[in-house]
Amino acid sequence: MQSLTMRGFRRSDRRAVLALIAADRLPGQPRPTATALVSALAARGPDGRPQARALQPPVTEILLDERRRITGVISYALRPYDDAGVVLWAHAAEDPSTMAVLMGWARVRLGPDRPWYAFPGIPATGTTEGLAGSRRPATTHALRTTGFTAIAERRYWNRDLRRNPPTGPLPRPLATAAPQHGPAASCSGSPERTALRPPKPASTPRTAAPPTCTAS
Amino acid sequence: MAEADRSRGLGRHLLDQCLFHAARTGAPRLTATTDATDLHAPAVRLLSRSGFTPVDTLAVHHRPGRPAGPHNP
């Protein structure tokens, strides 16, 4: 019987935890940095905003094997407004037994009978919300065997620009970027005037004459 | 894309510019996410035809709570 130990995250664990996170990266995701880890420990995303709404301060704990090596890490929190437990992120090199221990530990710590959500937001160490089902089979299995089901799914796409660069001429007319205001901003007028504006002289400030956009 | 502006090639045009800009500035790759529902089928087609490959499906998971009772206080 292995002797496993759970304890709170310590600053000295950073390197090992970053290695566990890096091992679960998807193609295109940046290598996690120490700064990103600090944000993730505070349940913040890459843009500094909270990873999920109205959470209590998250708890991050690590799992040590009998040789005191770090084999897994999990960050979880209580969300008082709906009394839900939230698994923010967890990494264990996709070892099934380690991930099962981590998930079971978090549920026991916060109460197994409360509703639970897992991987609801974008951690600072990644660029996507949700758990990658194919690349994280042990984590997915650990969730499903404890009664979790997928409630929102997104597809993640990648294009390798070095192996497969765009060819042909740059498509014209050039679109110009302009800030959109509000969560449901929309453009009015013809697409030719708004979405596809003709190229401007180089001296024209980029912020001048934005497309006709209104927030709705 | 607004409903009235769909099927006009605007998305393809914008995506092509995005690809060119990313390649020109040295980005090694471009990633995208789409909703997994049928509502995003046009975006899925656009990405597929533009050289993107699906990597994985990302899921938020939920487990309902169990109500308190005599055997489950």
Side-chain angles (χ1 to χ4, degrees):
Chain A
M1 180 87 180
Q2 284 190 336
S3 173
L4 305 177
T5 305
M6 288 290 296
R7 65 159 170 78
F9 173 86
R10 297 173 185 162
R11 190 177 164 84
S12 57
D13 301 330
R14 279 186 306 179
R15 180 172 292 188
V17 168
L18 282 169
L20 287 171
I21 295 170
D24 287 335
R25 280 186 306 156
L26 294 170
Q29 287 186 323
R31 180 165 282 278
T33 64
T35 304
L37 179 57
V38 169
S39 291
L41 291 168
R44 295 192 176 278
D47 55 2
R49 288 189 294 187
Q51 196 181 337
R53 284 192 304 141
L55 293 176
Q56 283 189 351
V59 174
T60 302
E61 296 183 280
I62 63 169
L63 180 64
L64 305 169
D65 65 11
E66 71 278 6
R67 296 164 69 180
R68 310 297 293 171
R69 292 178 305 192
I70 294 175
T71 57
V73 58
I74 187 166
S75 187
Y76 57 91
L78 182 65
R79 190 164 62 189
Y81 79 83
D82 61 354
D83 203 31
V86 181
V87 174
L88 296 162
W89 47 276
H91 300 275
E94 286 308 288
D95 179 73
S97 58
T98 304
M99 190 53 75
V101 169
L102 292 174
M103 292 296 174
W105 177 264
R107 286 181 53 221
V108 168
R109 294 282 282 180
L110 287 186
D113 295 331
R114 70 177 68 251
W116 277 88
Y117 292 87
F119 303 93
I122 306 173
T125 48
T127 56
T128 56
E129 66 187 52
L131 177 69
S134 299
R135 300 203 172 219
R136 305 283 307 271
T139 307
T140 302
H141 181 74
L143 290 171
R144 289 186 178 161
T145 53
T146 49
F148 281 85
T149 54
I151 57 169
E153 293 185 321
R154 296 182 68 76
R155 290 198 188 97
Y156 180 80
W157 301 77
N158 178 55
R159 174 163 167 175
D160 189 323
L161 294 173
R162 291 188 174 148
R163 288 185 183 175
N164 183 19
T167 56
L170 176 64
R172 292 183 181 277
L174 292 176
T176 54
Q180 303 282 295
H181 303 287
S186 62
C187 289
S188 59
S190 73
E192 288 76 12
R193 283 195 298 108
T194 55
L196 294 175
R197 295 169 66 84
K200 295 174 182 175
S203 59
T204 304
R206 294 187 69 186
T207 54
T212 309
C213 292
T214 55
S216 58
Chain B
M1 191 68 66
E3 186 82 41
D5 292 329
R6 290 179 189 168
S7 302
R8 299 180 59 195
L10 300 179
R12 177 63 188 252
H13 189 96
L14 290 169
L15 183 58
D16 283 348
Q17 289 197 9
C18 188
L19 285 163
F20 265 86
H21 178 73
R24 197 165 48 189
T25 53
R29 52 172 48 99
L30 204 57
T31 64
T33 57
T34 58
D35 201 291
T37 64
D38 290 343
L39 283 174
H40 279 220
V44 168
R45 280 196 300 274
L46 174 64
L47 292 172
S48 297
R49 291 171 182 169
S50 298
F52 284 77
T53 52
V55 176
D56 213 327
T57 299
L58 310 164
V60 177
H61 293 261
H62 173 59
R63 180 181 180 274
R66 282 185 284 182
H71 302 292
N72 186 29

